[in-house]
C-alpha cells in the first residue's frame, strides 16, 4: 500500500503601518563578502604506468602547432571574438564595464503585490532554454567548501544538482529522466465489456486532448493492451507481465495517468505464476485434488529463493501451440477448464491472506502498482464506473471461485474509494439491455457522449496540473545566463554514464593506467582503442566515476557520442564542451562562430585559462561514431595539451578514424588497447547476467551458455546471450550460442521475428534504424496503426494489435533499446553502435520504405485521408501550432527527405519560412546539420548555400539563444556577403536579403552596420560609450556619454550618425535631459548644465555631490533636486543661476540613500537608512513639505528598487523582512492618501521594478529570469513573461506606453527583449555580438539604441514587421541649428 505524506508551510503577512514623520532608533546592517581562490598542482609529462604518478613541478613550456596558451604566461586570456577571461586566482570579476549603465535619476526596482498577498504564477521556461526534466530543487550549501568558493558567482548560485552536472561529478549527480511526456495507462477489468468506452477514449477523447498537449509542448501517449487479443486469451502470465513491464517502462520517463475501467467484474482469473515453497506444501497437504496441483506446479530449486512454478501450458495441452484455429480453440477451452479446477482447489485451501496474495487478476495488479503504490498516481487516477440503472436477471455465484472474485471486487472498490479523489470517480448511469452497450440506442449513445465529456474534462484538468507541476519543479532551466539546454545535455550524458558504469566489468589494470595518465604529467591525449562490443563505453564510465576520487578539484566534461541530438557531430561536441568549461571557469557560455575551425581555436584558449583554477578532464567515448551530417575532421584534437588538462578519447580499432589518429599523433599520443576478457571472467559475468535477467536458470541452459564463452568473450556477446536465456529459461527451447557477436545479434533478431512476426519486426526496427534521432511511443503507434499488417478484424479498433506488438517488442529488445531525451521527448534508439550497424545491414531492404514512411508521416499526408477507423492516429503536422513548434518534424523531416530524394535545397535550405521555424523550434545546429547533408551532394551544393551556411555559423551563438532573431542577424551579414561577391548568380540570397529588410515577423533590424563591431574595434577592450539617454520627448535623437573619452555626443537614431559632439567634458558620469537641447551632466562630483545644440557650458551648480550616491532629479525646466554631499538633506537648485534655492531635511542624523522624482516634478521620494525599519520619506516639492513617513514594522524598504508614476500618485518599492531569509516582495503606496495600496509576493526575489500609470501596471524583473506585469487596479498578475536566461535587472518603459525593454544589466544574458504590454507577448529580441554597456528605447517603442563594449559607435535597432509603422517611413528631422550638423565642440576651455 502506498504511504501518504503531506507538507505545508504557514504564511503570515504582517500589517503595514503608514504614519506621518515619526522618529525611530537608527541601526546598521553590515554584510560581509568573502572571496577566496585556489591554487593548482601543475603537471609535467612522462609515459603512463599502471601505478599512480606523483605530481611534479611545472616543466618547461613547449610550443604547439595550433592555438595553445601556456598557463604560466597567462593572466588574462583574450579569445578570438574579443571575449576576455580573467584567470588570476584572486581576481574579482568586475561587471560594471560589461553591464548596462544605469541612467542617473531613474531608479530600478522590484515587483509589486496585492494587499491580499497574491502569489505569482509558477515559473514557465522560454522556448529555447527553460525545458528540462523535473527534479527537486537542491539549495546551495550554506557553508560552501573552498572549491565551491572558487566557482564564479553564477555557478555558486545554482542548485547543488546543477553544480554537480557542470563540474562532472558523475557519482554525486542525481538524474531525473522524465521528459515532457504524459502517458495514459489504461487499466481494464474486462476488455470485451468496456470496449465501447475505450473506443470512445481513443477515437474521441485522445485526439482532442493530444492536440491540447501538443500546443503546450508535451507528448501524449496511450498505453492500452486490453483488447482481448490472442495473448490475453491465453490466460497465462505473459500478458500480465507484459502489462506491468510496460507500465514500469512508462513510469521511468513519463508522467503516468491511470485510467481505470472497472464496474462489476474483475475480469479473467489467473493461476499464480509462482508459489512459495511453504505455502504450496501447506496447500498440497490440505488439498483434496493433490494430483492437479502437482500436475501444474513443480519445484524450481534453481530460483532464489526456491519456489513452485507454474508449468508451461503446452506441456500438458499440446494443442495450445498449434496454428490451426480449431485446435487452438479446443486447447484454450481445455486450459480454461484446468484453470477453473485448479483455482477452486486453491480457494478452498488458501486462507484469505494467501488468496489476496496469489489469486489476483491483471487489473488488480495494475491498480496495486499504480494507485496503491504511489500517492502521486492515485491523485491522478480516473475511475470510470458504469452504473446500470435497470439491471437484468441476476444469478447467485455458483462456484467458490465466483464467490472469491466478488469478495475481491468489493475489496478493490473500497480501496479505490479510499485512495481516489471523489471527483475522479466517474459514476455514469446507463440502462441495462441484453447484449451490452449498443450505440444505436439513443440512451446508450447519450451515455457514450457523457463518457467522452467527463473523460475529456477530467483528463484536461489532470494534465494541466501535471504541466503546472512539471514547470514549477523544473530545476534545469536557464539561470544566470547558463543555458538550460546545456544543463539538459549534461543531465542526459551523466545518466548514460551512471547506467553504463553499473554494467562495467572488472578492468582494474586498465583503470590504473587511466589513473596514471590523469594524475601524471602527460601533455598529450590518451587514445583508448578496442573492437566493437569490448566494453570501451563501460570502462570510460567507470573512469569518469573515479575521476573525482583521483582528482577531487578537477572539472570533468564527458560525452558519449550519439546518445543525444547534441552529441552526434564534432560541432555539437566542441560547442557543448566549450560552454561547460567556460561556465565553470568564468560563469558564462562561450561565444563563437559555430563551426569546427572557430570552436577548435577557442577551446585550447579556454582550457589554458581554466586550468589555472583547477584541472580539466575531457573524455569522449566513441569518437568514430560521429554522424555523416557533421564534420569528419580530427584536426581539432590538439597535439599538445596545456598543463593540468587531460583528454581521453575512445575509438574502435577497426575504424578508419583510428588510422587517422595514429597518422596524426604517431608516438606523441598515449595509447591503451582494451584487453580481452579472460574466459573465466567472461563466464562469471555471463552467469551473473543470466541470474540478473532470469532469477532462475535450469541446468540445461546453464551448461549451454557456459560453454559458449570459450570462443567469444566480448561483453556485448555475453550480454546478448544472457538476455536470450531470459526468454526460454522455463521452457524446453534450445539456446544456440554462435560464438560470434554479430551472428548472435542476428540470431536474437531472428528469434524475435519468429515470436512476433517477421514483417512486423522488420517494419518496426527499420523505422528505429532509419530515424535520425529515434522515434517516440506515440509516433511509432501512429505509423504502425496505418500499416495493414498490424490490423485485425477481431478487435474493437482495427489497429489494436499494434499496441500489443510495440509493448512486446520493447519487452524482447529490453536492454538493447535506449530511451533518450530528444527535443524534450523520449525516443527509442539503438543502445550500441554495433547493434545499429547490424540492424541497418539486416533490414537494408526496408531502408527505402522506412524513409518514405517517415517522410509521409512528418508531412502529415495521412491526416488528409480522414479514415474514421484511424481517427486516433490521424495527426496533422504543422510546423507551428499556436506558438508551439513541432520540433520532431523540424528535426526529422529534412533528414528523411534527403535520404529519399538526395537533396533538400529547395524545400528547406533556401526556404526562409522553414529556416525560421526550425531555428525557433529546434536550434541552429540542427539547421547546420541539414546544410552538411546537402554539402555531401556536389551536384546541388553551390556558392549560395555556402555563403548562407557561413552566415548562420557566424550568428550561431545568437540564434542558439533565440531563433526568432533570424532576420535581424542575417540582414547585414547577407548584405556584406552579397556586396563582396556580387548579386550576379545569387538570386536566392538576393531574395532572402529583401525578405530580411521587410521581415514577415516583428524583428529589430540594425539601421546600419556601423554600430556592429569591426575587426579593428574588436581589438579594443575598453568601453567607449557608458550611457545613452533620451532627450526629453524627442524620439529622433539620443545623447551618449563616454566617461573615459570625456565626450558627450548627440546622435540621430534614424541615420545612426553623430550630429553634435562635445569634447573635453570633465569625467561625465551621468546625464539627465532638461529638454531636447539642454542637459544636466554629472562631472566628477559637480553638476553642470550644457547646451547640446550650441555645444557650450551654460552654468555650474554650486556645491558638490556625494561621491557614492550622486543622486539628482528634475523638478521643472528651471529647477533640480539633488542629494547633498552629507546625504542629510536634499537641495533644490536653480538651473539658471546654479544657486541653491532651498533644502529639505527630514530630521537630525538621518542619512538618505535614494532619490526619486515624479515625471511631472511634483513629488520627491527618498529612502532613509538610519531609521529602523528603513522608511520612505515623501515630499511635496510644490509646497516643500514632508507628506509621509512610510514604513512597515519589522521590514526594510530596498530603496534602490523603487519607481514612481509620472504624476506622482503611486510609488512602488521592494521590501523584505528584517530577520527572515524569505524572498522580498513589492508594495505600492497611494501617495494621495499615504496608505498601502497593493502588496505582491512573487515567491522569488525581485531585482528590478518600474511602474506605469499610462498602462496601469507595475513591471517587476525577477531573480529567476521572469518578468511579471501586475495590474494596478485589480491587483492580479496580468502577464507572466519568460524568455530571459538571467535575472532581469534592467527595465525601461516606452515613454508613450504600450511596450517596454528588458535586459540583464550584468550581461550574463546579453540579449535585449522588447515586449508588448497590451498583449503580454514578445515583440522582438536581439542578441548583439558583444556585451551591452547601455541601451534605451525611444518614444513610440519602435527604436532601440544600444552601445556595445569596445565600440565607439551606437547601434540603432528599429522594429520592422507586419502592421508596424517604422519611424524611418517619415521625414528625417534636423537637430537644432542645421548649420551645426556634425559639429565637434571642445568645451575644455569653458570648463576651466
Amino acid at each position: 500500500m502506498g504511504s501518504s505524506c503531506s507538507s505545508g508551510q504557514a504564511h503570515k503577512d504582517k500589517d503595514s503601518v503608514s504614519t506621518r514623520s515619526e522618529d525611530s532608533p537608527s541601526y546598521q546592517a553590515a554584510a560581509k563578502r568573502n572571496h577566496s581562490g585556489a591554487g593548482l598542482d601543475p603537471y609535467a609529462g612522462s609515459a603512463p604506468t599502471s601505478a599512480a604518478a606523483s605530481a611534479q613541478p611545472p616543466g618547461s613550456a613547449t610550443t604547439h602547432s595550433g592555438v595553445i596558451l601556456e598557463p604560466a604566461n597567462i593572466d588574462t586570456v583574450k579569445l578570438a571574438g574579443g571575449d576576455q577571461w580573467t584567470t588570476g586566482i584572486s581576481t574579482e570579476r568586475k561587471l560594471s564595464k560589461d553591464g548596462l549603465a544605469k541612467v542617473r535619476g531613474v531608479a530600478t526596482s522590484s515587483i509589486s503585490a496585492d494587499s491580499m498577498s497574491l502569489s505569482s504564477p509558477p515559473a514557465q521556461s522560454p522556448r529555447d532554454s527553460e525545458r528540462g526534466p523535473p527534479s527537486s530543487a537542491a539549495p546551495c550549501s550554506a557553508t560552501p567548501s573552498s572549491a565551491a568558493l572558487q566557482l564564479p558567482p553564477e555557478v555558486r548560485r545554482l542548485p547543488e544538482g546543477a553544480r554537480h552536472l557542470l563540474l562532472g561529478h558523475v557519482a554525486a549527480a542525481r538524474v531525473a529522466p522524465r521528459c515532457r511526456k504524459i502517458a495514459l495507462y489504461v487499466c481494464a477489468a474486462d476488455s470485451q465489456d468496456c470496449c465501447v468506452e475505450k473506443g470512445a477514449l481513443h477515437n474521441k477523447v485522445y485526439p482532442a486532448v493530444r492536440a491540447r498537449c501538443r500546443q503546450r509542448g508535451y507528448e501524449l501517449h496511450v498505453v492500452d493492451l486490453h483488447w482481448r487479443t490472442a495473448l490475453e486469451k491465453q490466460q497465462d502470465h505473459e500478458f500480465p507481465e507484459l502489462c506491468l513491464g510496460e507500465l514500469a517502462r512508462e513510469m521511468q520517463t513519463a508522467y503516468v495517468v491511470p485510467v481505470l475501467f472497472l464496474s462489476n467484474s474483475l475480469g479473467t482469473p489467473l493461476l499464480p505464476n509462482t508459489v512459495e515453497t511453504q505455502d504450496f506444501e501447506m496447500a498440497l497437504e490440505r488439498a483434496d485434488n493433490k494430483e492437479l496441483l502437482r500436475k501444474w506446479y513443480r519445484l524450481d530449486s534453481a530460483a532464489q529463493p526456491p519456489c513452485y512454478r507454474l508449468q508451461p501450458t503446452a506441456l500438458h495441452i499440446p494443442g495450445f501451440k498449434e496454428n490451426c484455429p480449431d485446435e487452438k480453440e479446443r486447447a484454450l477451452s481445455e486450459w480454461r477448464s484446468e484453470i477453473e479446477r485448479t483455482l477452486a482447489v486453491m480457494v478452498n485451501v488458501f486462507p484469505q491472506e494467501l488468496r489476496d496474495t496469489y489469486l489476483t487478476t491483471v487489473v488488480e495488479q495494475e491498480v496495486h502498482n499504480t494507485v496503491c503504490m504511489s500517492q502521486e498516481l492515485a491523485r491522478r487516477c480516473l475511475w470510470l464506473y458504469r452504473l446500470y440503472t435497470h439491471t437484468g436477471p441476476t444469478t447467485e455465484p455458483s462456484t467458490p471461485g465466483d464467490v472469491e472474485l466478488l469478495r475481491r471486487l468489493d475489496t478493490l472498490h473500497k480501496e479505490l474509494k479510499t485512495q481516489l479523489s471523489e471527483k475522479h470517480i466517474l459514476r455514469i448511469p446507463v440502462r441495462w439491455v441484453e447484449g451490452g452497450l449498443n450505440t444505436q440506442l439513443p440512451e446508450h449513445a447519450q451515455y457514450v457522449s457523457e463518457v467522452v465529456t467527463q473523460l475529456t474534462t477530467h483528463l484536461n484538468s489532470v494534465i494541466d496540473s501535471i504541466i503546472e507541476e512539471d514547470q514549477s519543479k523544473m530545476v534545469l532551466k536557464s539561470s544566470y545566463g547558463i543555458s538550460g539546454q546545456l544543463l539538459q545535455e549534461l543531465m542526459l550524458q551523466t545518466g548514460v554514464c551512471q547506467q553504463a558504469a553499473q554494467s562495467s566489468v572488472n578492468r582494474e589494470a586498465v583503470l590504473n593506467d587511466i589513473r596514471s595518465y590523469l594524475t601524471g604529467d602527460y601533455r598529450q591525449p590518451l587514445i583508448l582503442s578496442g573492437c566493437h562490443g569490448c566494453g570501451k563505453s563501460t570502462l570510460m564510465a567507470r573512469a569518469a566515476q573515479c575521476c573525482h576520487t583521483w582528482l577531487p578539484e578537477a572539472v570533468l566534461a564527458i560525452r558519449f557520442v550519439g546518445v543525444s541530438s547534441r552529441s552526434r557531430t564534432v560541432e555539437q561536441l566542441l560547442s557543448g564542451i566549450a560552454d561547460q568549461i567556460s561556465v565553470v571557469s568564468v560563469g558564462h557560455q562561450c561565444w563563437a562562430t559555430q563551426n569546427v575551425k572557430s570552436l577548435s581555436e577557442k577551446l585550447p584558449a579556454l582550457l589554458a585559462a581554466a586550468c589555472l583554477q583547477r584541472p580539466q578532464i575531457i573524455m569522449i567515448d566513441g569518437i568514430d561514431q560521429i554522424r555523416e551530417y557533421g564534420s569528419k575532421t580530427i584536426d581539432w584534437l590538439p597535439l599538445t595539451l596545456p598543463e593540468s588538462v587531460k583528454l581521453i578519447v575512445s575509438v574502435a580499432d577497426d575504424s578508419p578514424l583510428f588510422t587517422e589518429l595514429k597518422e596524426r599523433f604517431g608516438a606523441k599520443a598515449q595509447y591503451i588497447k582494451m584487453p580481452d576478457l579472460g574466459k573465466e571472467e567472461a563466464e562469471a559475468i555471463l552467469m551473473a547476467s543470466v541470474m540478473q535477467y532470469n532469477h532462475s536458470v535450469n541446468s540445461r541452459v546453464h551448461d549451454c551458455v557456459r560453454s559458449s564463452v570459450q570462443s567469444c568473450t566480448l561483453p556485448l556477446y555475453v550480454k546478448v546471450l544472457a538476455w536470450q536465456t531470459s526468454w526460454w529459461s522455463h521452457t524446453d527451447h534450445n539456446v544456440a550460442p554462435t560464438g560470434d557477436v554479430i551472428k548472435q545479434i542476428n540470431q536474437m533478431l531472428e528469434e524475435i521475428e519468429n515470436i512476433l512476426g517477421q514483417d512486423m519486426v522488420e517494419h518496426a526496427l527499420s523505422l528505429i534504424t532509419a530515424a535520425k534521432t529515434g522515434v517516440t511511443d506515440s509516433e511509432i503507434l501512429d505509423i504502425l496503426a496505418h500499416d495493414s499488417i498490424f490490423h485485425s478484424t477481431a478487435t474493437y479498433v482495427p489497429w489494436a494489435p499494434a499496441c500489443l506488438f510495440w509493448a512486446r517488442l520493447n519487452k524482447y529488445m529490453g536492454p538493447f533499446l535506449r530511451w533518450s531525451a530528444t527535443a524534450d521527448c523520449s525516443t527509442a534508439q539503438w543502445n550500441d553502435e554495433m547493434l545499429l550497424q547490424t540492424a541497418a545491414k539486416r533490414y537494408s531492404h526496408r531502408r527505402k520504405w522506412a524513409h518514405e514512411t517517415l517522410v509521409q508521416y512528418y508531412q502529415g499526408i495521412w491526416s488528409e485521408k480522414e479514415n474514421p477507423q484511424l481517427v486516433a492516429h490521424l495527426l496533422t503536422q504543422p510546423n507551428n501550432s499556436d506558438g508551439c513548434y513541432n520540433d520532431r518534424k523540424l528535426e526529422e523531416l529534412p533528414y528523411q527527405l534527403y535520404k529519399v530524394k538526395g537533396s533538400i535545397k529547395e524545400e528547406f535550405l533556401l526556404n526562409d519560412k522553414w529556416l525560421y521555424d526550425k531555428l525557433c523550434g529546434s536550434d541552429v545546429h540542427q539547421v547546420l546539420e541539414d546544410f552538411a547533408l546537402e554539402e555531401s551532394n556536389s551536384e546541388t551544393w553551390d556558392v549560395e548555400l555556402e555563403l548562407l551556411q557561413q552566415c548562420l555559423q557566424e550568428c550561431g551563438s545568437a540564434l542558439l539563444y533565440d531563433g526568432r532573431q533570424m532576420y535581424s542577424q542575417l540582414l547585414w551579414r547577407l548584405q556584406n556577403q552579397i556586396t563582396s561577391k556580387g548579386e550576379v548568380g545569387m538570386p536566392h540570397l538576393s531574395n532572402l536579403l529583401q525578405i530580411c529588410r521587410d521581415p514577415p515577423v516583428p524583428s529589430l533590424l540594425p539601421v546600419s552596420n556601423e554600430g556592429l563591431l569591426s575587426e579593428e574595434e574588436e581589438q579594443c577592450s575598453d568601453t567607449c560609450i557608458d550611457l545613452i539617454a533620451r532627450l526629453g520627448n524627442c524620439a529622433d535623437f539620443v545623447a551618449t556619454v563616454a566617461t573615459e573619452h570625456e565626450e558627450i555626443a548627440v546622435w540621430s537614431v534614424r541615420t545612426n550618425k553623430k550630429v553634435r559632439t562635445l569634447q573635453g567634458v570633465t569625467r561625465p558620469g551621468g546625464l539627465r535631459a532638461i529638454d531636447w537641447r539642454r542637459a544636466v551632466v554629472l562631472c566628477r562630483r559637480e553638476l553642470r548644465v550644457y547646451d547640446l545644440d550650441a555645444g557650450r557650458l551654460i552654468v555650474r551648480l554650486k556645491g558638490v555631490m556625494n561621491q557614492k550616491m550622486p543622486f539628482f532629479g528634475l523638478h521643472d525646466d528651471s529647477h533640480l533636486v539633488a542629494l547633498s554631499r552629507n546625504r542629510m538633506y536634499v537641495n533644490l537648485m536653480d538651473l539658471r543661476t546654479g544657486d541653491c534655492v532651498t533644502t529639505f531635511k527630514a530630521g537630525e542624523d538621518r542619512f538618505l540613500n535614494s532619490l526619486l522624482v515624479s515625471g511631472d516634478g511634483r513629488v520627491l521620494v527618498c529612502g532613509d537608512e538610519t531609521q529602523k525599519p528603513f522608511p520612505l520619506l515623501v515630499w511635496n516639492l510644490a509646497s516643500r513639505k514632508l507628506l509621509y513617513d512610510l514604513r512597515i514594522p519589522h521590514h526594510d524598504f530596498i530603496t534602490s528598487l523603487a519607481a514612481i508614476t509620472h504624476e506622482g500618485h503611486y510609488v512602488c518599492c521592494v521590501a523584505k523582512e528584517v530577520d527572515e531569509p524569505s524572498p522580498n516582495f513589492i508594495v505600492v503606496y497611494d501617495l494621495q492618501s499615504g496608505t498601502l495600496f497593493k502588496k505582491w509576493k512573487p515567491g522569488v526575489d525581485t531585482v528590478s521594478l518600474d511602474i506605469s500609470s499610462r498602462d496601469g501596471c507595475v513591471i517587476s524583473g525577477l531573480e529567476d529570469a521572469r518578468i511579471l506585469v501586475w495590474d494596478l487596479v485589480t491587483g492580479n498578475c496580468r502577464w507572466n513573461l519568460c524568455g530571459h536566461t538571467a535575472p532581469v535587472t534592467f527595465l525601461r518603459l516606452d515613454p508613450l506606453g504600450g511596450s517596454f525593454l528588458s535586459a540583464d544589466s550584468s550581461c550574463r544574458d546579453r540579449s535585449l527583449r522588447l515586449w508588448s504590454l497590451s498583449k503580454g507577448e514578445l515583440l522582438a529580441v536581439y542578441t548583439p555580438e558583444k556585451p551591452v554597456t547601455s541601451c534605451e528605447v525611444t518614444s513610440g517603442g519602435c527604436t532601440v539604441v544600444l552601445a556595445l563594449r569596445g565600440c565607439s559607435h551606437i547601434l540603432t535597432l528599429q522594429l520592422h514587421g507586419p502592421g508596424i509603422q517604422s519611424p524611418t517611413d517619415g521625414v528625417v528631422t534636423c537637430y537644432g541649428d542645421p548649420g551645426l550638423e556634425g559639429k565637434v565642440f571642445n568645451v575644455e576651455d569653458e570648463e576651466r
Side-chain angles (χ1 to χ4, degrees), residues 1048-1185:
I1048 297 175
V1050 179
W1051 300 76
S1052 169
V1053 299
R1054 299 196 182 188
T1055 62
N1056 217 36
K1057 302 287 187 181
K1058 285 183 182 180
V1059 294
R1060 301 289 190 280
T1061 304
L1062 280 69
Q1063 296 179 346
V1065 182
T1066 305
R1067 301 288 298 177
L1071 183 147
R1072 185 66 183 265
I1074 304 171
D1075 49 36
W1076 67 269
R1077 57 184 289 270
R1078 292 183 301 152
V1080 181
V1081 181
L1082 176 65
C1083 299
R1084 295 191 186 274
R1085 298 171 62 186
E1086 182 183 49
L1087 291 177
R1088 302 175 184 176
V1089 181
Y1090 285 92
D1091 184 332
L1092 301 181
D1093 180 26
R1096 64 184 181 86
L1097 174 65
I1098 298 176
V1099 67
R1100 290 185 178 90
L1101 303 189
K1102 295 179 180 179
V1104 294
M1105 306 287 287
N1106 183 275
Q1107 184 173 1
K1108 295 183 178 179
M1109 299 183 185
F1111 300 146
F1112 63 98
L1114 291 176
H1115 170 43
D1116 53 36
D1117 60 2
S1118 301
H1119 295 87
L1120 168 147
V1121 288
L1123 196 61
S1124 66
R1125 179 179 180 180
N1126 59 12
R1127 296 195 290 121
M1128 296 180 65
Y1129 48 88
V1130 177
N1131 295 326
L1132 180 64
M1133 312 293 294
D1134 191 315
L1135 295 176
R1136 294 161 297 188
T1137 65
D1139 296 331
C1140 178
V1141 178
T1142 187
T1143 62
F1144 303 93
K1145 190 173 183 179
E1148 296 298 328
D1149 299 327
R1150 300 185 72 165
F1151 294 93
L1152 306 179
N1153 61 0
S1154 66
L1155 185 145
L1156 279 178
V1157 182
S1158 61
D1160 59 6
R1162 295 190 305 165
V1163 179
L1164 169 68
V1165 179
C1166 294
D1168 181 359
E1169 68 179 22
T1170 56
Q1171 298 294 301
K1172 186 178 181 180
F1174 292 169
L1176 284 179
L1177 307 177
V1178 182
W1179 277 279
N1180 185 316
L1181 289 178
S1183 62
R1184 302 176 186 179
K1185 292 182 179 179

Side-chain angles (χ1 to χ4, degrees), residues 567-574 626-627 629-631 929:
S567 62
R568 297 173 182 269
T569 64
V570 172
E571 292 84 350
Q572 294 250 42
L573 287 172
L574 291 177
I626 295 296
R627 298 296 186 255
Y629 40 80
S631 174
E929 288 171 9

